[in-house]
Amino acid sequence: MKRLFWLGVGVATGVALSRKAKETARQATPAGIAGNLGEAMRELAGAIGSFGADVRAGMVEREEELSEVVEQRSGVSPVARHALGVRDDRPARRGPADARARRAGS
């Protein structure tokens, strides 16, 4: 009975090691490397998407905080200001690309 038990343990160990060796060999092939790289890219894309969602959520939260501060200090809510048609007449900020476009046009 002991011999039969150890024979079973040996067979199970041999099967497990054989499968592990095949998987390791498959990962070393170009297809295996491409699969690993593809999975890493999907994970990176997911992380970037999650980061973007967190940034957008933070921007909305900060905008609400700033709107509350403006309302407290001025007594006019941004919603009421927009409904009254009050516009911000400050000139638009121009970036370096606008300056290059003006130079190229003249």
Side-chain angles (χ1 to χ4, degrees):
M1 200 64 176
K2 277 184 172 183
R3 289 182 183 168
L4 187 59
F5 170 76
W6 288 113
L7 177 67
V9 170
V11 168
T13 303
V15 168
L17 289 176
S18 173
R19 288 184 180 178
K20 184 69 173 173
K22 282 183 184 179
E23 180 62 26
T24 303
R26 189 199 66 77
Q27 287 180 353
T29 64
I33 292 170
N36 289 340
L37 183 60
E39 181 63 32
M41 294 302 289
R42 280 189 291 279
E43 188 175 320
L44 178 63
I48 289 171
S50 176
F51 175 73
D54 289 344
V55 168
R56 284 188 297 277
M59 287 171 47
V60 168
E61 184 179 328
R62 181 64 177 150
E63 184 176 356
E64 290 172 357
E65 290 173 1
L66 291 173
S67 293
E68 289 175 11
V69 169
V70 167
E71 186 175 353
Q72 288 173 355
R73 291 186 181 175
S74 69
V76 178
S77 72
V79 175
R81 183 178 174 157
H82 180 68
L84 292 173
V86 176
R87 293 179 38 194
D88 191 3
D89 291 331
R90 290 181 287 171
R93 291 176 56 184
R94 296 181 184 254
D98 292 333
R100 283 192 296 262
R102 278 181 295 193
R103 281 190 300 244
S106 30

